[in-house]
Amino acid sequence: MFRFIRALTTMNLKANLALRGAFALQVLFMVLNNFTFFVFWWALMRRVPVLNGWRLEDVELLFGIVAAAFGLTVGLAGGVRHLGRFIDEGQLDTLLTQPKTVLVHALGLRSQPSGFGDLLSGVVLIGWSGRLSWHTLPLVAAAVGASALVLIASGIVFFSLAFWLGRVETVARQLWEMLITFSLYPEPLFGGAVRLVLFTLLPAGFVGYVPVHLVRAPSWAEGVALAAAAGAYLTVAIVTFDRGLGRYSSGSRFTTFG
Amino acid sequence: MTHKRVTMSTAAKYLAVLRFSMTMARYERAELYGRVAFFVVILGVFSSLWRVVAEAGMPLAAEPRTLVWYLAITEWILLSAPPIYIEIQEAIRRGDVVYRLGRPVSYALSEFASGLGLLLARAPVLGVTAFVCASIFTRWLPPYRALLLLVPFGLAAAALITALYLVMGLLAFWLQDVSPVFWVWQKLLFVLGGLMLPLEIYPDFVRRVAAFTPFPVVLAEPASFVLRSHVEAPVLLLHLGVWSCLIALTACWMFRRAALGLSVNGG
């Protein structure tokens, strides 16, 4: 399995780098995109330096972790955002005949070069937050990795709804974008029922807030909680996809994937 | 008399395109509902943010409730404007534009009319969403005069953004892929247009640069009706008029150059 994932990743990277100019342009514009969005926080926190205990460095860390996790997700498992269409249009046919896991193969089908721009800007923002050093690097990498796993798992669940509900591309995409939107804003903004949702159905808490806590104040309890959450969401995602695959009906398509 | 009749029939053709596009938009509602959901979430997040900012007790240029309304208006204008550049870019890349040039309507004007139809279908739904959400989240209503002025100026600003999308789409005659242009435009709109924060909150040099662009005219200026007690409607009208003329002239010139290039060199 790991050899297959490695081969898929290498192939995606080579495919992206084949068009170097387009790759560089997409990376550059995504970096610019993220920094432009961050101008909002720089402008705001110039006037309001502390928001319920959150300083600019903390927002940089949050934004950095989520951007890097999102970059890893769409850079290495970009197919997650297209699962709904694959299912609805019967595009999984080609994968079903192959001797590898359908889900992993489908995830690796659409690598987005812009994801590397997200990853790069994420690393820069984490660096600016002052939390990145050789000493904290493994912890930051683990936090970003866990955040990416929760993102991928959530994407699989949202887009797998197509197995039961048919054309749900728009709804699933909205759920996915809401998850990212909520992950990008500081935790103290949300309370009550919204907070409950953000740690269950729309797990922004495990995409952004808990990884940030872990890097700001490392503790075994928080580390175990994050790893358990990532494992649980991934398990739910795999079970959901496998159950859905049992209902999948062929699109009778003659096509090739590349 | 004859000239008048010809003008009327020309207007009727584009009006038909506009009405057709409006009808189509009513049947294809998925994207609109997606925009509504996004709108509700973003207003909810920002109303929480401004509440926390208010609790922090730090001075800002405006009250938190007016900032939520400001965002509701900028997002209403932006989300109402349909990104017609995508359709134009695809038509140019596929080559479909060649057979559309032969029709007895201007390709650029019919695309703009179609965009206005989409805008008129979306704007009321998004406007109601903005009004309901902002009033629930803030438990406050801006002065009625400001709300009444917002509707025509907001629609005019959204139409101007649609015209800018048209210009962007026409660039595909030369660039093929206009995504990088859109990305730059989007970032400039975000900062220089004051999408999320009024321009007063940004440093001086940002405001000075913004004054030379159409970005504040389409977002910050109409939305500022809820920030200020005195409303400078004639000034905004003048700005909208000047930029509309400039953008219309640019679109006409670009389309003529592109059509001439296609006629001389082929599609």
Side-chain angles (χ1 to χ4, degrees), chain A residues 29 33 40 46 174 185 189, chain B residues 34 46 48 183-184 187 201:
Chain A
F29 273 105
N33 178 60
F40 165 78
R46 202 166 56 100
Q174 283 302 324
Y185 291 88
L189 298 188
Chain B
F46 270 81
S48 301
W183 292 338
V184 172
K187 307 303 153 294
I201 292 174

Side-chain angles (χ1 to χ4, degrees), chain A residues 146-167:
Chain A
S147 171
L149 285 179
V150 178
L151 261 180
I152 293 170
S154 307
I156 293 169
V157 174
F158 297 156
F159 289 100
S160 292
L161 290 174
F163 282 124
W164 289 272
L165 305 174
R167 197 175 287 272

